[in-house]
Amino acid sequence: MQAVFRRQIALLIVAFLLPLCTDVAYVIGLSFNAYYNYTTAMFSISGMLLSWVLFRYRFLDLIPTARDMVIENMEDALILLDTKDRIVDINPAAMRITGINQQDIGRSIGDFPQHALAHIMDELKHDEVQVRTEKMLLADGSERMYDIHLTSIKERKQFVTGTILTLHDSTDRIRLITELNYLAGHDELTGVYNRRQLFKQGTLSLKVATDHAGQPFSLCIFDIDGFKTINDTYGHDAGDHTLVSIINQIERQLKPQEILGRVGGDEFLVLMPSTSLDEAVGRAEVFKSSISSLEYALLGSGIALSASFGVSSTQQCSTSPSFNTVLAMADAALYQAKTLGRNQVATARM
């Protein structure tokens, strides 16, 4: 406890104990004068001491002043409304955000439609959880995201006497959450889906194909031929640049329904919903030619770039396969392509 508070408490205790102790001393015969009770005089001294303490330490205005300082300096915007949604008070943060000022006190919050606060309040009043996140156009023309919270002011008998509208800037939090969600499902280097998200999308796409009888689903898996040599000879930065350039080239060739992702290392997978085995082989040939065209543009030293492709399809299965089954078939086809001398497109043998 701070010394100033200890001093305040000590003085208050002294002020209250003076008349009490004086009266007790008189009753038990310890008074200076057995014929005179000094308690009345002590009450006067106690009153003067209490008055001095109250004014010396500003007990009467300290709490209101502290409350005003907190509200005036808080970063969150706060608008106090009466039962008819008229503005009763507003703090500086709310003025900066909304452009509403002290001269607008007494006006309805609905008089400021540019912020849609009245509409948001109407919706919040009917929600079980009276908070929502909205994008708002600020007075300076910029846009920020705000958590808007509605709190009813109630008397002891639960009568609503007003409303507190609080706006908390959540722009940075939402941006961070968005970035984390993106990183959770995407490869940091190439920007395509990572293995986890790719397999999730693949399982979902296969289920859609299964639910629509007769709709094929194909996979095209590929890796870069001799990629380890590129890393060892030119360094990992050159290897990363090679992967990014190849994936950018492949992405330009993708059809709208095709999904590209990184399985790991230099191995990538293309999901091909509504694509037959023959069509998937044709698409793999397009990808292969596209990668080969990058050979000198990337490394500038005569090293040819190529990739090997493995293709599989649900059309090769007699029963409804799982995603892992179709993927294992594509992996086997990729191994065949490598065995055939690389820079090849192979299909799974059944």
Side-chain angles (χ1 to χ4, degrees):
M1 186 183 296
Q2 296 182 10
V4 64
F5 294 123
R6 288 197 295 267
R7 193 179 307 117
Q8 293 171 13
I9 293 172
L11 288 171
L12 287 174
I13 292 174
V14 170
F16 284 115
L17 288 180
L18 272 176
L20 176 63
C21 292
T22 302
D23 190 54
V24 171
Y26 176 77
V27 171
I28 64 177
L30 296 179
S31 176
F32 295 108
N33 188 338
Y35 300 100
Y36 183 77
N37 189 348
Y38 292 95
T39 303
T40 304
M42 286 299 106
F43 269 118
S44 299
I45 295 173
S46 176
M48 288 187 289
L49 181 58
L50 282 173
S51 298
W52 180 79
V53 171
L54 288 175
F55 288 102
R56 171 66 177 80
Y57 294 104
R58 301 175 63 189
F59 272 33
L60 296 178
D61 60 357
L62 182 60
I63 292 177
T65 300
R67 183 181 64 238
D68 290 343
M69 289 179 62
V70 169
I71 293 175
E72 291 296 306
N73 291 283
M74 65 189 300
E75 293 184 1
D76 288 352
L78 187 146
I79 303 174
L80 179 62
L81 306 168
D82 63 13
T83 54
K84 295 183 179 180
D85 292 341
R86 292 175 299 197
I87 301 170
V88 176
D89 200 0
I90 182 170
N91 72 343
M95 295 182 198
R96 290 193 300 270
I97 294 170
T98 64
I100 301 172
N101 52 50
Q102 291 287 343
Q103 286 71 34
D104 296 316
I105 289 178
R107 296 177 61 184
S108 171
I109 194 69
D111 292 341
F112 305 92
Q114 67 271 28
H115 303 301
L117 289 176
H119 176 68
I120 294 171
M121 283 181 56
D122 288 339
E123 293 184 348
L124 286 174
K125 288 177 181 178
H126 296 89
D127 291 345
E128 292 185 6
V129 180
Q130 294 185 325
V131 61
R132 65 188 297 175
T133 302
E134 293 283 342
K135 180 185 291 185
M136 291 188 60
L137 179 65
L138 306 191
D140 62 4
S142 62
E143 287 186 340
R144 304 282 291 180
M145 298 297 295
Y146 284 90
D147 292 333
I148 303 175
H149 191 276
L150 195 66
T151 305
S152 297
I153 304 173
K154 297 181 180 180
E155 294 287 356
R156 293 181 180 178
K157 295 183 179 181
Q158 299 300 306
F159 291 118
V160 176
T161 59
T163 304
I164 298 175
L165 192 63
T166 308
L167 288 77
H168 175 73
D169 192 337
S170 58
T171 306
D172 294 337
R173 174 177 60 83
I174 292 174
R175 183 183 295 119
L176 177 61
I177 291 173
T178 302
E179 290 176 358
L180 291 175
N181 287 337
Y182 177 84
L183 291 175
H186 290 77
D187 176 56
E188 186 176 1
L189 175 64
T190 61
V192 298
Y193 280 147
N194 59 19
R195 181 186 180 94
R196 175 177 172 273
Q197 186 66 19
L198 184 65
F199 282 28
K200 180 179 178 181
Q201 291 290 330
T203 302
L204 179 62
S205 297
L206 179 57
K207 184 179 184 303
V208 172
T210 303
D211 292 343
H212 295 77
Q215 188 177 90
F217 174 80
S218 298
L219 294 179
C220 172
I221 191 168
F222 66 94
D223 68 10
I224 313 305
D225 296 330
F227 183 71
K228 184 178 184 302
T229 302
I230 295 174
N231 267 337
D232 293 343
T233 305
Y234 298 96
H236 290 283
D237 287 343
D240 289 347
H241 177 68
T242 300
L243 286 182
V244 171
S245 299
I246 288 174
I247 293 309
N248 288 341
Q249 183 80 340
I250 295 295
E251 284 185 311
R252 286 191 284 268
Q253 311 296 326
L254 290 177
K255 291 183 176 181
Q257 76 271 22
E258 294 174 341
I259 300 173
L260 173 63
R262 187 178 185 181
V263 179
D266 63 321
E267 191 170 83
F268 295 85
L269 178 67
V270 182
L271 309 179
M272 297 179 171
S274 305
T275 305
S276 67
L277 178 62
D278 290 341
E279 290 172 331
V281 170
R283 298 293 297 141
E285 291 288 354
V286 171
F287 298 150
K288 182 170 72 71
S289 299
S290 179
I291 292 173
S292 297
S293 68
L294 292 171
E295 53 181 319
Y296 295 110
L298 282 175
L299 301 175
S301 59
I303 295 180
L305 291 175
S306 66
S308 298
F309 292 78
V311 179
S312 64
S313 173
T314 53
Q315 291 179 318
Q316 298 172 285
C317 304
S318 57
T319 58
S320 297
S322 67
F323 177 76
N324 286 335
T325 298
V326 184
L327 179 61
M329 293 163 54
D331 269 329
L334 175 60
Y335 179 77
Q336 293 174 32
K338 292 287 189 182
T339 304
L340 292 172
R342 303 183 178 183
N343 196 27
Q344 301 284 332
V345 175
T347 58
R349 296 175 182 174
M350 301 304 296

